[in-house]
Amino acid sequence: MGAEQQVRADFVELYGAEPEGVWAAPGRVNLIGEHTDYNDGFVMPFALPHTATAAVSRRTDGRLRLHSADIEDGVAELRLDDLTPESDRAWTAYPAGVVWALREAGHPVTGADIHLTSTVPSGAGLSSSAALEVVVALALNDLFELDLPRWQLARLCQRAENVYVGAPTGIMDQTASACCEAGHALFVDTRDLSQKQIPFDLAAEGMRLLVVDTQVKHAHSDGEYGKRRAGCEKGAALLGVDALRDVPYAGLDAALERLGDEEEVRRLVRHIVTENQRVERVVTLLESGETRAIGPVLVEGHASLRDDFRISCPELDLVVDTALAGGALGARMTGGGFGGSAIVLVEAADVDTLTKAIEEAFAAAGFTAPRVFEAVPSAGARRLG
């Protein structure tokens, strides 16, 4: 039984009727552009084949029923009028937050029965939460005929996560899940949400991109992410700009000089300004067909995240160091940091050798065995049936 059939059958068993439809929304890997999204900067994610899948039907009685096949718990039943920001610390905060955000924006959502399941690894920095949010938003958008464009659904999902869940994330994850196309990476200017699909078909060029999930769980709302964000905002205020995106790469040295002895802020500013420039370089290289040349840019990005933003960890550094020593074209940590995943750009012929080298390095260091899989640029959120 396929994912769609399974989630349909489970919905019928739970709620006693066929769902009105089934939707899917993917997790994402960020190729380059880390922590730039909440600084009005540039990002470049692509969607994974791993998805959150939801079977959904409308209700008219102001109630929301939620169930996940991945969590040992019964059906959660909530009253829409009782949905309150930061009142829910369970997984249900993500889909409930989307309903809250839609209603708060004035959209006539009157209730729903929702059954969810996900193949996006949780805590791996691959946006399992954004996939949950976007699949619910797309389903409700279709069922209640809200006619909201994808970028607006992403905005509402971000609001759900920022305000309802209480995690200060940027807009990238939800935009990637909602808007990516198969065989492409998505260049997004997070200031105006303009997008450009950039061809990124690695298999056609004899390459692969591996995701190495270190199994070190991260949690965005635990404070460190918020500290980095506050530091970036302080840097923008000290430099007299709306956001660090407004500091030109050519003016970086002068900006750092103006920050004087604010060493921590200087490091954060340097990462954001150089990372925006790295995104632009990768776009240029991919559009010129020089895909292998993005490898060194990925490595630069990792060094910046490790040394300036200081959000790497020994496991992530070990992936990158081992991959590069084994002949990888490039590697870097991806996602929010403090654990999660790294990406490794490799020649197709080197996949098995490099995977084995990374697994052996983890065993020798006494780390939990990593999960290694291929990331294939895949389609964004969609209705399955």
Side-chain angles (χ1 to χ4, degrees):
M1 192 182 288
E4 182 194 342
Q5 290 73 26
Q6 185 65 59
V7 82
R8 274 184 181 279
D10 291 348
F11 185 98
V12 172
E13 192 174 323
L14 282 165
Y15 299 123
E18 282 282 336
E20 291 185 80
V22 177
W23 290 260
R28 65 95 187 97
V29 163
N30 194 22
L31 181 62
I32 193 77
E34 219 63 81
H35 287 266
T36 47
D37 59 346
Y38 55 81
N39 289 285
D40 281 2
F42 306 131
V43 295
M44 201 170 178
F46 64 88
L48 288 167
H50 309 72
T51 61
T53 305
V56 185
S57 286
R58 287 168 290 185
R59 295 179 67 92
T60 58
D61 59 359
R63 293 189 177 273
L64 176 64
R65 293 197 292 181
L66 299 167
H67 185 267
S68 169
D70 310 312
I71 292 162
E72 288 187 21
D73 208 354
V75 174
E77 185 162 335
L78 307 166
R79 289 182 66 241
L80 299 191
D81 289 343
D82 294 342
L83 298 180
T84 310
E86 298 197 54
S87 61
D88 186 350
R89 291 288 169 227
W91 71 271
T92 48
Y94 295 100
V98 170
V99 175
W100 170 84
L102 283 165
R103 282 167 54 83
E104 201 209 29
H107 301 296
V109 176
T110 55
D113 287 337
I114 301 175
H115 172 62
L116 291 149
T117 185
S118 180
T119 57
V120 185
S122 176
L126 305 174
S127 291
S128 56
S129 59
L132 272 186
E133 292 157 3
V134 170
V135 76
V136 170
L138 184 62
L140 297 176
N141 189 50
D142 286 356
L143 289 177
F144 287 97
E145 299 180 343
L146 305 179
D147 295 325
L148 296 170
R150 294 298 181 99
W151 66 266
Q152 203 167 339
L153 290 178
R155 269 272 189 248
L156 287 163
C157 289
Q158 182 202 13
R159 180 160 173 74
E161 189 148 350
N162 287 176
V163 180
Y164 196 89
V165 178
T169 53
I171 189 68
M172 172 181 65
D173 298 350
Q174 294 85 358
T175 303
S177 186
C179 302
C180 278
E181 293 181 5
H184 293 76
L186 184 68
F187 173 67
V188 183
D189 180 334
T190 65
R191 171 162 282 168
D192 61 10
L193 292 189
S194 59
Q195 303 174 7
K196 190 176 185 184
Q197 301 286 347
I198 309 295
F200 191 54
D201 185 355
L202 292 170
E205 297 188 61
M207 285 173 282
R208 300 288 186 272
L209 191 80
L210 303 179
V211 174
V212 183
D213 175 4
T214 64
Q215 307 283 350
V216 178
K217 299 300 179 191
H218 70 171
H220 274 168
S221 37
D222 68 357
E224 289 298 324
Y225 184 103
K227 282 184 200 169
R228 300 304 187 283
R229 185 164 185 162
C232 290
E233 289 166 358
K234 181 179 179 181
L238 289 170
L239 293 168
V241 293
D242 290 338
L244 291 182
R245 181 273 184 61
D246 297 312
V247 179
Y249 181 73
L252 176 59
D253 289 345
L256 295 177
E257 202 170 301
R258 284 175 57 201
L259 291 170
D261 59 2
E262 292 274 1
E263 187 49 44
E264 187 174 343
V265 175
R266 282 165 56 94
R267 288 199 314 268
L268 298 178
V269 169
R270 182 164 52 226
H271 168 71
I272 297 301
V273 176
T274 58
E275 187 79 346
N276 277 324
Q277 195 248 3
R278 281 187 282 273
V279 178
E280 292 183 296
R281 283 161 61 198
V282 168
V283 169
T284 300
L285 289 167
L286 291 180
E287 289 188 325
S288 305
E290 298 176 68
T291 307
R292 283 173 175 79
I294 73 171
V297 188
L298 303 184
V299 178
E300 282 177 37
H302 183 76
S304 183
L305 290 162
R306 181 191 65 212
D307 302 338
D308 278 342
F309 231 65
R310 300 192 177 186
I311 58 170
S312 191
C313 65
E315 292 85 350
L316 288 167
D317 292 341
L318 183 60
V319 174
V320 173
D321 293 345
T322 305
L324 296 175
L329 296 163
R332 74 171 191 91
M333 62 152 283
T334 186
F338 311 106
S341 300
I343 54 174
V344 183
L345 183 66
V346 300
E347 300 288 358
D350 296 336
V351 167
D352 293 343
T353 308
L354 276 168
T355 299
K356 187 165 183 252
I358 291 165
E359 289 170 345
E360 287 174 350
F362 267 58
F367 295 151
T368 301
R371 177 174 179 235
V372 184
F373 59 92
E374 185 182 341
V376 180
S378 300
R382 57 213 179 266
R383 185 168 187 160
L384 299 179

